[in-house]
Amino acid sequence: MSSDGALAEVEKSLSDAMKTLRDGQREPGGAADRCPLWRNGIPGPLQGDGLDVSSLLQVVQHLLHEEEEEEEEEEEPRPARRLGVGVQDQVTLLGHSLAAYFSVLQRERLRKLSTRVLSDSTLWLCRLFRYENGSAYFHEDDRDGIVKVCRLVLHAQYKEYGAEGYGALSAHQPVIYQSAAGRPELGQHLCSQLGLPLSSLCTVPCNTVFGSQHQMDVALLEKLLKEDTDAGKRPLLLIANAGTYSAGHTDKLSRLKDVCDQSGLWLHVEGVNLATLALEEVASTVTAASRSDSLTLTPGPWLGLPAVPAVTLYRHEDPAMALAAGLTSSRLVEKLRALPLWLSLQHLGHNGITQKIRHAAALSQQLLQRLKSLDSIKTLVEDELDSPVVLFKFCLETSSGEECRQDSVDLHQKNLLDSFNRWLGQQAARRVPGSGVDVVELDGEGVCIRFSPLLTAAELGTQGEDVERLVATLQELVPAMTSTVTYRAAFWEETRRLASSLTYVEEMNWAGLGVVRYEPQSDEADGSRRQQQLEKINKELLKKLQELDSDIVFSSAPEFVAEKNGVFVGMVTEDVAVAELVQTIAALGREVEESGRLLENMTEVVKKGILEAELELQRASEEKLLEEGMLRQIPVVGSVLNWLSPVQSSVKGRTFDLAAGSLDSTETMYSTKAQGGGASLQDPPSLLPQRLPGQRLFRRSGADSPMKTGGRTHDQESSGHSASGEAPHTPDHTHPMSIPDSSEEGGAGEELEERQSGGVQVEQGDR
């Protein structure tokens, strides 16, 4: 009964600790208040007096709240798990507490406990994932299992390895094979942990002609095996994928197993698709993984279990070699590593485990079916009926209605599509954080958006409603992206027409309409002063554009672009008036420049007026002295003379007119009792066009409609004719994503020309 009481005490202490941390209530006079160093986050010396459990929890709680405050200050907070939010999490954490408690038991009791936990966990996992007669190795780092398996194969292939060590490898160099689509840096990690040279690592390319672009080329693997064998090398191990790290593709595991059997090669399989082995219906490509020599499972992300170990299942008959390789241990405490997973598997049960995996697979199928109905969205799924990973990307259609292929577009267009897909993935993750989508970059496909609910759904609690919100977000963003890509050429053309005042900045990493920079119309010879003037004007221009009542987002340069001076124009809708937008930018830029120039001129005028006023005052004082004489300047004598013979002063007042910049007499003011003179200041006419009621800036009215020419929409407004009566120029770009070279000259005439579009007056030409 004492043991039962101890276990209950451990469970109660854990529950109390989780409740204290979850409630977030700090007691006055706690450890954080008594230790000022905890407040500023500066490491300090260990306190002389120890802290009790309650005070320790206060310290941890303070650190947790400090972390939450930092996350709240971020512009885009990340979706994060809360500590102890559910019973399932508490069961896993209880397993860690019990593992520490069991480590202090008597050795015989610890041996029985650890053996039972290890044998039960191994049996359950082997039956759940269809891996009969296997052994299990539990490890924290998911790469540690393959390292120990490689060491096991070294002991099996080199009989003298246990006695001679790496000297036994000199006669026949071992070779480890991995797919080019496998986890990055896994091969380098293996070589560094095993002490092998990088020449022992062979990367097998994926198919380039037949089959998937992300599956290992089996024929090429056979060729490499023959070449290495003929060269005196010894093939050691092959790492295959059942769900690649980025795309979720599965290698031809059945054929690879046959090749490995013929060559005496050890086959190790890893990947997210191994989770589907627990379901009733499994794809035949994944079922072949049960024939492999070893495989690595990561039940923590699949089932939403915090801090549970990864598991490597393997088949080998010699326990001595497994012990030498580190797959088994004589230390009883290490066997307790499986205790949190042992408790969690019993808490979920077989039905609970399969339900979580089935739910994640259903979410993938739901999104895949919904994406098929969206225009300009291309899916990249290997097996649409069984794949738990969904890859998709934004891709415009060609003029013939066919989807564009990555190999049919040039580098310029590829970079543009990558930037737009990266923006789309970031927006989808920010607006629907429960979906767990992220951005990946694949060879041959570029930037894509990945939805892998097996890795995120259990942790984030993804439901079907999150998938629907994700689809709704895509339906909202994709039309704006299509319009923006379509209008980029028109934006470039309109900017080129105003080359005397605007410069188009070619920035393919910017997902938006484009980048434009206003060029000051000054003859400043000093390069540094001209650069400062350019930066100042463009900053003021950006502020004015951001104050406009428009749906278009104007922003400064993000961190990932090299060009920092300019206005970055965001996404636009289909009814945008590009000519009006560009002309307004140019007009506001001139207004900012002229305002700055007026301020500089006014400063000079005020300085000049002050000097002139000082001279006038000095001259008036001298005239007063001549008129009144020296005697009147003496205090006593002057008062008597002024009383006997008063003098009419001829000194006149002065007023400084800021508008005219002149120093005038106040005689007229006092004679008419009202200020007169120069013309009064008037507000300049508005530079913004007159809009209809309810119509936003830079949008066409309801009567106007965009015209599509050669697969691209280009705005041609009736008010866009030049002052000379000529028809507006139509750019000759017919491809929907063709963007001319920004270094071409033209469009900026030598003589002065006035164009009016949407009520915006713009002067064009040399100034």
Side-chain angles (χ1 to χ4, degrees):
M1 296 300 294
S2 60
S3 299
D4 296 340
L7 291 177
E9 185 65 25
V10 171
E11 195 277 334
K12 181 178 183 301
S13 299
L14 177 63
S15 299
D16 293 342
M18 296 303 302
K19 183 177 183 300
T20 302
L21 295 176
R22 182 174 61 248
D23 292 345
Q25 297 176 355
R26 291 196 297 174
E27 299 177 1
D33 297 325
R34 297 201 306 267
C35 302
L37 292 177
W38 287 109
R39 296 180 177 178
N40 50 24
I42 300 176
L46 184 64
Q47 299 299 310
D49 297 333
L51 301 178
D52 55 13
V53 176
S54 177
S55 299
L56 288 175
L57 288 177
Q58 298 299 326
V59 171
V60 176
Q61 187 183 44
H62 175 78
L63 295 177
L64 288 175
H65 285 293
E66 184 180 26
E67 187 72 17
E68 291 177 357
E69 292 174 359
E70 293 178 359
E71 292 182 0
E72 291 176 358
E73 294 176 357
E74 296 180 359
E75 295 181 359
E76 298 182 0
R78 306 183 303 270
R81 291 185 56 151
R82 295 291 179 179
L83 189 60
V85 295
V87 179
Q88 179 176 303
D89 298 326
Q90 292 184 1
V91 170
T92 305
L93 298 176
L94 178 62
H96 290 279
S97 300
L98 292 178
Y101 168 71
F102 290 161
S103 64
V104 301
L105 296 178
Q106 296 179 356
R107 181 174 179 81
E108 185 62 24
R109 299 180 64 185
L110 178 60
R111 185 186 62 80
K112 292 181 179 180
L113 261 173
S114 59
T115 303
R116 177 61 184 271
V117 169
L118 185 61
S119 59
D120 285 350
S121 302
T122 302
L123 177 63
W124 297 338
L125 291 172
C126 287
R127 290 186 175 179
L128 226 119
F129 296 98
R130 308 187 181 194
Y131 199 82
E132 299 297 334
N133 301 323
S135 302
Y137 170 63
F138 298 87
H139 46 94
E140 301 298 333
D141 189 345
D142 57 358
R143 301 172 301 179
D144 195 26
I146 182 63
V147 173
K148 299 298 176 60
V149 167
C150 285
R151 189 170 287 118
L152 172 65
V153 182
L154 283 173
H155 281 277
Q157 293 288 341
Y158 298 87
K159 301 303 180 182
E160 302 82 7
Y161 183 72
E164 300 181 6
Y166 298 112
L169 310 179
S170 58
H172 302 282
Q173 181 182 0
V175 183
I176 300 174
Y177 302 87
Q178 69 167 0
S179 172
R183 280 196 290 174
E185 300 182 358
L186 176 61
Q188 289 84 345
H189 178 75
L190 288 176
C191 292
S192 64
Q193 293 296 314
L194 298 172
L196 298 177
L198 290 180
S199 57
S200 295
L201 179 64
C202 179
T203 301
V204 183
C206 297
N207 290 335
T208 56
V209 180
F210 303 103
S212 171
Q213 300 294 321
H214 305 280
Q215 287 182 335
M216 187 185 301
D217 194 330
V218 182
L220 186 55
L221 172 64
E222 294 177 338
K223 180 181 178 182
L224 293 173
L225 287 173
K226 185 177 183 305
E227 292 177 354
D228 291 337
T229 304
D230 295 341
K233 299 180 179 180
R234 182 169 295 178
L236 190 69
L237 179 139
L238 171 65
I239 305 175
N241 295 290
T244 55
Y245 175 76
S246 299
H249 291 78
T250 301
D251 292 326
K252 300 178 178 66
L253 299 180
S254 181
R255 289 190 58 192
L256 290 177
K257 179 57 179 174
D258 296 338
V259 172
C260 291
D261 291 341
Q262 296 173 3
S263 306
L265 197 62
W266 184 285
L267 177 61
H268 179 85
V269 181
E270 63 177 16
V272 66
N273 293 355
L274 292 176
T276 59
L277 288 172
L279 302 179
E280 295 82 2
E281 298 180 359
V282 189
S284 58
T285 55
V286 181
T287 305
S290 60
R291 297 174 50 202
S292 62
D293 297 297
S294 61
L295 51 85
T296 297
L297 309 173
T298 54
W302 300 346
L303 306 178
L305 305 176
V308 298
V311 186
T312 294
L313 303 179
Y314 64 97
R315 296 190 182 100
H316 200 269
E317 298 178 354
D318 193 345
M321 287 188 180
L323 179 62
L327 289 171
T328 59
S329 176
S330 59
R331 297 184 59 197
L332 300 178
V333 176
E334 292 188 4
K335 296 182 180 180
L336 293 176
R337 192 180 296 164
L339 183 58
L341 184 59
W342 181 74
L343 291 177
S344 299
L345 292 178
Q346 293 184 83
H347 174 70
L348 290 173
H350 185 277
N351 294 335
I353 295 172
T354 55
Q355 191 276 333
K356 283 180 175 292
I357 298 176
R358 189 182 301 108
H359 173 69
L363 291 176
S364 297
Q365 292 300 313
Q366 178 185 356
L367 178 62
L368 183 61
Q369 296 300 323
R370 298 286 282 113
L371 290 179
K372 291 181 179 180
S373 62
L374 298 183
D375 297 332
S376 302
I377 291 293
K378 176 183 177 183
T379 56
L380 310 166
V381 181
E382 175 194 12
D383 189 353
E384 294 187 353
L385 298 178
D386 301 299
S387 177
V389 180
V390 179
L391 282 176
F392 60 95
K393 60 183 296 187
F394 167 75
C395 182
L396 285 179
E397 296 182 353
T398 60
S399 57
S400 59
E402 300 178 354
E403 290 184 348
C404 65
R405 295 178 55 86
Q406 194 71 15
D407 54 1
S408 65
V409 298
D410 55 18
L411 181 62
H412 182 88
Q413 298 171 351
K414 177 182 178 299
N415 293 335
L416 180 63
L417 277 179
D418 287 346
S419 63
F420 273 74
N421 278 289
R422 189 175 292 106
W423 178 86
L424 178 61
Q426 294 171 353
Q427 291 294 317
R430 182 181 62 85
R431 297 190 182 190
V432 193
S435 64
V437 295
D438 59 348
V439 177
V440 295
E441 187 168 359
L442 305 178
D443 294 337
E445 295 292 348
V447 176
C448 303
I449 304 170
R450 177 178 62 184
F451 177 70
S452 183
L454 272 175
L455 297 178
T456 60
E459 179 180 358
L460 300 177
T462 309
Q463 300 295 328
E465 295 79 6
D466 297 306
V467 175
E468 294 300 326
R469 283 196 293 269
L470 177 61
V471 174
T473 301
L474 296 177
Q475 291 175 338
E476 176 186 352
L477 297 178
V478 167
M481 296 172 64
T482 304
S483 303
T484 303
V485 174
T486 303
Y487 280 120
R488 282 179 71 99
F491 183 75
W492 179 90
E493 180 66 24
E494 293 296 334
T495 305
R496 189 176 67 89
R497 294 182 184 181
L498 301 177
S500 60
S501 58
L502 295 180
T503 298
Y504 183 85
V505 180
E506 189 72 20
E507 184 55 64
M508 301 308 300
N509 292 326
W510 172 249
L513 187 61
V515 184
V516 64
R517 181 177 61 242
Y518 182 82
E519 300 292 344
Q521 307 297 318
S522 63
D523 299 331
E524 183 65 47
D526 190 354
S528 61
R529 291 194 59 183
R530 178 177 175 83
Q531 182 67 18
Q532 293 177 359
Q533 184 183 14
L534 184 143
E535 295 177 3
K536 182 179 179 181
I537 291 177
N538 280 276
K539 286 182 179 179
E540 293 297 328
L541 172 60
L542 176 61
K543 291 181 180 179
K544 285 186 171 293
L545 290 172
Q546 291 175 340
E547 294 172 356
L548 298 179
D549 183 19
S550 171
D551 294 331
I552 303 176
V553 177
F554 303 94
S555 60
S556 57
E559 297 180 355
F560 55 83
V561 300
E563 178 60 45
K564 299 300 181 183
N565 295 322
V567 176
F568 287 72
V569 186
M571 297 290 174
V572 297
T573 56
E574 185 180 1
D575 56 351
V576 66
V578 178
E580 178 183 313
L581 171 62
V582 175
Q583 292 167 6
T584 302
I585 294 175
L588 289 177
R590 277 198 304 275
E591 180 188 18
V592 171
E593 181 183 11
E594 292 172 358
S595 299
R597 189 175 300 158
L598 177 61
L599 182 60
E600 293 178 359
N601 295 338
M602 184 178 295
T603 303
E604 296 298 329
V605 169
V606 170
K607 290 181 179 179
K608 183 179 178 181
I610 292 175
L611 294 177
E612 185 178 351
E614 291 178 352
L615 293 177
E616 288 289 341
L617 292 175
Q618 183 178 0
R619 189 179 302 111
S621 179
E622 293 175 354
E623 292 178 356
K624 177 182 178 182
L625 180 61
L626 293 176
E627 291 179 2
E628 297 180 355
M630 291 294 298
L631 293 177
R632 293 184 181 271
Q633 309 305 319
I634 302 175
V636 179
V637 179
S639 300
V640 175
L641 291 177
N642 289 334
W643 178 68
L644 296 175
S645 176
V647 178
Q648 185 69 29
S649 176
S650 61
V651 178
K652 300 178 180 179
R654 296 290 187 269
T655 179
F656 184 70
D657 191 350
L658 290 176
S662 60
L663 192 66
D664 301 328
S665 174
T666 59
E667 183 178 357
T668 308
M669 179 195 304
Y670 289 109
S671 61
T672 59
K673 302 300 180 181
Q675 184 173 0
S680 60
L681 290 172
Q682 295 180 357
D683 295 334
S686 175
L687 294 172
L688 301 179
Q690 300 296 325
R691 316 302 297 176
L692 297 177
Q695 185 179 359
R696 307 296 292 271
L697 283 174
F698 314 127
R699 283 193 175 185
R700 298 184 183 88
S701 61
D704 297 332
S705 61
M707 179 183 298
K708 295 185 178 181
T709 304
R712 180 178 61 82
T713 305
H714 181 64
D715 55 323
Q716 297 179 346
E717 301 180 353
S718 58
S719 59
H721 297 279
S722 61
S724 59
E726 297 178 357
H729 175 69
T730 302
D732 55 352
H733 307 288
T734 58
H735 195 277
M737 293 178 57
S738 62
I739 301 179
D741 188 2
S742 60
S743 61
E744 294 182 3
E745 299 294 336
E750 296 294 335
E751 53 185 340
L752 194 64
E753 179 184 10
E754 290 186 357
R755 298 178 65 251
Q756 180 178 358
S757 177
V760 181
Q761 297 286 342
V762 178
E763 292 184 0
Q764 184 176 349
D766 296 336
R767 300 187 58 179

